[in-house]
Amino acid sequence: MKPRALDYVRARSIDHAIELLSTGADARVLAGGQSMMPAINMRLASPDVLIDIGRIDELRSIEVGSHLRIGAAVTQAEVAGHPDVLHRWPMLTAAIAQIGQPPIRNRGTVCGSLAHNDPQAELPAVAVALEAVVTSQSRRGTRSIPADEFFRGTFTTSLEDDEIVTAVDFPEPALGQGWAFQEFSQQPGDLATAGAAVVLNRREAAANRVVVFGVGVGPTRATLIEEAIRYTTDPSLDPQLVDRWGATLSPFDDAHASAHTKVQHAKQIVVRAVAEARGRMS
Ligand SMILES: Cc1cc2nc3c(=O)[nH]c(=O)nc-3n(C[C@H](O)[C@H](O)[C@H](O)COP(=O)(O)OP(=O)(O)OC[C@H]3O[C@@H](n4cnc5c(N)ncnc54)[C@H](O)[C@@H]3O)c2cc1C
């Protein structure tokens, strides 16, 4: 299938991109194009105008300080290959390694994956687990949106049509924090049928996060599991509790797996990920 005719504009700056988005035409942002272009080619999306933000210098930086700031034009491969990210935000590196194949990660952006919010995507779950904050900009100004409030449902976020994501910030993980990122997919590089991003804190158990993806409408906190592990250091989870939690999930059947299989995978993944995160606590 071929896409229908559309206009393509390469934005020179953030202001230029915002101006182009505010014209009233059905304009969409193009970052790495790894989700947008397949959608256009399959006519699942038919915007009038594509606004390419990939060469805007202001969006191209990775800043490392007390937090990690990733600009909206930074690719997943650039983040995964950054030495400070590997040492200080290893969950990001681990999750990016699971996204498609190297050519996808060489073009796809971290912020694009967040804005797209595919329910099977790794990075929205990581953003919720690590309490990331998304920065967006429009003619009305700049907004900081905590990941907990950013993801609204399947392929849906709290972004307005005229707003672009300019960056995402990941705070420094707490000292002694344990983490794990696990997913199950039919073959390496396939979208996950279920996955989990887990963060456990020795000093502040209330800040524990167990986030699953692939089994709902986007990244979902497993609050039943979070509550249960708050007051114990046992790395294993009670199987009855895991069954009760599994019964709260409502994934849908797709070409990769049935809903039933996804729930079974999610239960196994959560058990493994919690044990792995416990093992990493210091
Ligand atoms: C073969 C294949 C395998 C893949 N496997 C996986 C996988 O295993 N896991 C996974 O998570 N993804 C996978 N992907 C998708 C890939 O990771 C995409 O890169 C990612 O989902 C979107 O990033 P992008 O920069 O390419 O965004 P684009 O495709 O350019 O955009 C995606 C959507 O987000 C919007 N958008 C992008 N950036 C912004 C912004 N800054 N502000 C506002 N809106 C924005 C666009 O308008 C569009 O609606 C795969 C893709 C392919 C083709």
Side-chain angles (χ1 to χ4, degrees):
M1 214 183 263
K2 286 186 178 169
R4 78 171 177 88
L6 51 79
D7 288 332
Y8 166 91
V9 187
R10 185 177 290 162
R12 296 183 300 273
S13 63
I14 296 175
D15 286 345
H16 186 211
I18 289 170
E19 185 191 317
L20 291 164
L21 262 186
S22 314
T23 57
D26 180 11
R28 298 285 294 276
V29 171
L30 180 72
Q34 298 305 295
S35 295
M36 194 64 187
M37 293 317 296
I40 288 176
N41 286 334
M42 288 187 278
R43 299 210 177 188
L44 297 171
S46 327
D48 295 326
V49 189
L50 273 183
I51 302 163
D52 187 349
I53 61 164
R55 306 215 187 158
I56 299 177
D57 282 343
E58 303 156 88
L59 300 179
R60 292 231 21 93
S61 63
I62 299 178
E63 292 167 28
V64 182
S66 60
H67 59 206
L68 167 69
R69 167 161 280 220
I70 302 170
V74 176
T75 66
Q76 294 152 5
E78 286 168 335
V79 173
H82 195 291
D84 289 328
V85 176
L86 178 62
H87 287 113
R88 292 168 63 188
W89 291 270
M91 186 195 282
L92 258 174
T93 313
I96 290 172
Q98 304 289 331
I99 298 176
Q101 305 292 348
I104 307 295
R105 307 194 288 263
N106 285 340
R107 300 203 69 123
T109 62
V110 169
C111 291
S113 177
L114 304 184
H116 190 51
N117 195 21
D118 186 323
Q120 289 172 285
E122 288 82 359
L123 294 178
V126 171
V128 174
L130 296 181
E131 300 183 59
V133 177
V134 174
T135 301
S136 68
Q137 211 172 310
S138 70
R139 277 190 166 167
R140 295 178 301 287
T142 301
R143 289 201 294 157
S144 296
I145 313 167
D148 282 338
E149 294 162 25
F150 184 72
F151 304 105
R152 288 278 169 85
T154 303
F155 298 114
T156 309
T157 68
S158 58
L159 276 186
E160 302 287 343
D161 288 347
D162 62 346
E163 228 173 355
I164 69 166
V165 173
T166 53
V168 58
D169 285 272
F170 290 86
E172 173 99 66
L175 273 179
Q177 188 177 84
W179 66 276
F181 182 87
Q182 296 246 354
E183 73 174 44
F184 188 93
S185 58
Q186 302 284 5
Q187 299 184 65
D190 276 3
L191 283 166
T193 53
V198 174
V199 167
L200 302 182
N201 292 282
R202 187 172 296 287
R203 291 184 183 80
E204 206 194 339
N208 289 347
R209 289 197 166 213
V210 178
V211 184
V212 291
F213 62 98
V215 283
V217 292
T220 306
R221 286 180 70 180
T223 45
L224 208 58
I225 307 275
E226 287 178 359
E227 276 299 311
I229 59 181
R230 194 166 162 179
Y231 302 107
T232 171
T233 52
D234 188 344
S236 58
L237 290 175
D238 173 1
Q240 286 182 343
L241 168 82
V242 176
D243 282 342
R244 256 195 300 134
W245 169 72
T248 67
L249 302 173
S250 46
F252 46 84
D253 299 332
D254 64 22
H256 299 285
S258 67
H260 175 76
T261 302
K262 289 182 186 182
V263 172
Q264 299 312 312
H265 288 170
K267 290 196 296 189
Q268 289 170 22
I269 287 286
V270 159
V271 169
R272 275 193 241 153
V274 168
E276 188 181 357
R278 280 257 188 258
R280 284 202 176 108
M281 284 170 85
S282 58

